[in-house]
Amino acid sequence: MTDVDTVHDAGQPPAGGPTEGRDPVPATADWLLGIVTGAIGLVLAAVGVGIYTRVDRALIADFVTSEEVEVNGITPSEAITAGEPFVDWLAAGIVVTGLVLVVGAAAFVVVRRRTRRRVASEGGTTATFWACAVYGAAVTALVSFVPGSPIAGGGAAAYLHDDGSGVRIGAAAGLVGWAATVPLLVSVAGGLLAGADAIGQLASGAILVGLVVAGELLGLAINAALGGLGGLLATRLV
């Protein structure tokens, strides 16, 4: 969540004196987004710690041997053995994801305050590229229950930025949302490899990890494409 470039509107006086800038999103939205994201991050971190401290071999065994669970390709004993390192890696990934959200939320608020102060003294716009991409990712998350939600996020990002780069910023909004899941993806991949290695099936685990990574990359491509479409529609229609 970085916010490094301040775009000056055409016709504004040179930097150095107070000028009126374009501010499509109020400062309260920055605080609200930071607080909500940080709170979600803290909850995720707490959940990860809870999983790591409470889920043990006995609990995994109860889960694997329950009637509702079917284990394909490996024995229940192997599933329990593989499940232990997988759960540890998964818990670590959830904790790291939560901490990344907390740090990212705090950094976003700090950088946005800095940008607003700079715009207040030098002029220009607070609607910088990456800030609008973050807003777009937030819109995508807010309406994630709707099919094709990245279209809405990409459209929102393009509408806020309003410089004609609708496809680019829409795709960036899709990228921002996906980037937050990277620590969890890494932990799942590590857990699958560790679990497979624990039962002597590392090669099969590597194939499974490859499928998971391919699926995530496909999801990234779809999110970016839908976000770009939303940005294009916003640029053409709004």
Side-chain angles (χ1 to χ4, degrees):
M1 295 186 182
T2 58
D3 185 355
V4 296
D5 296 324
T6 301
V7 181
H8 289 267
D9 293 336
Q12 284 194 334
T19 56
E20 182 179 357
R22 180 172 175 272
D23 190 13
V25 180
T28 53
D30 297 338
W31 283 101
L32 180 61
L33 180 56
I35 291 171
V36 171
T37 303
I40 293 173
L42 290 175
V43 170
L44 283 177
V47 169
V49 171
I51 292 174
Y52 184 80
T53 56
R54 294 179 179 274
V55 178
D56 55 13
R57 185 180 179 88
L59 190 58
I60 295 173
D62 289 341
F63 175 77
V64 171
T65 56
S66 64
E67 295 181 357
E68 292 81 9
V69 177
E70 295 183 6
V71 180
N72 296 320
I74 57 176
T75 66
S77 177
E78 288 176 329
I80 295 169
T81 299
E84 287 187 276
F86 177 79
V87 168
D88 290 343
W89 275 82
L90 178 63
I94 295 174
V95 171
V96 172
T97 299
L99 294 178
V100 167
L101 289 177
V102 171
V103 173
F108 178 74
V109 171
V110 170
V111 173
R112 290 300 291 161
R113 290 186 65 190
R114 188 177 302 156
T115 296
R116 291 182 186 279
R117 287 196 298 267
R118 184 168 65 246
V119 170
S121 63
E122 300 177 0
T125 175
T126 62
T128 57
F129 183 89
W130 284 109
C132 293
V134 171
Y135 293 137
V139 170
T140 298
L142 188 64
V143 298
S144 58
F145 58 90
V146 178
S149 56
I151 297 176
Y159 173 78
L160 293 172
H161 195 49
D162 192 26
D163 74 337
S165 61
V167 174
R168 189 164 63 95
I169 196 169
L175 174 62
V176 168
W178 178 86
T181 68
V182 169
L184 190 59
L185 170 62
V186 172
S187 70
V188 168
L192 289 173
L193 288 175
D197 187 48
I199 59 175
Q201 296 191 23
L202 185 59
S204 298
I207 294 174
L208 184 57
V209 167
L211 293 175
V212 171
V213 172
E216 282 293 318
L217 292 177
L218 177 61
L220 169 62
I222 292 174
N223 275 355
L226 291 177
L229 175 61
L232 176 63
L233 292 175
T235 301
R236 296 290 178 84
L237 302 178
V238 179

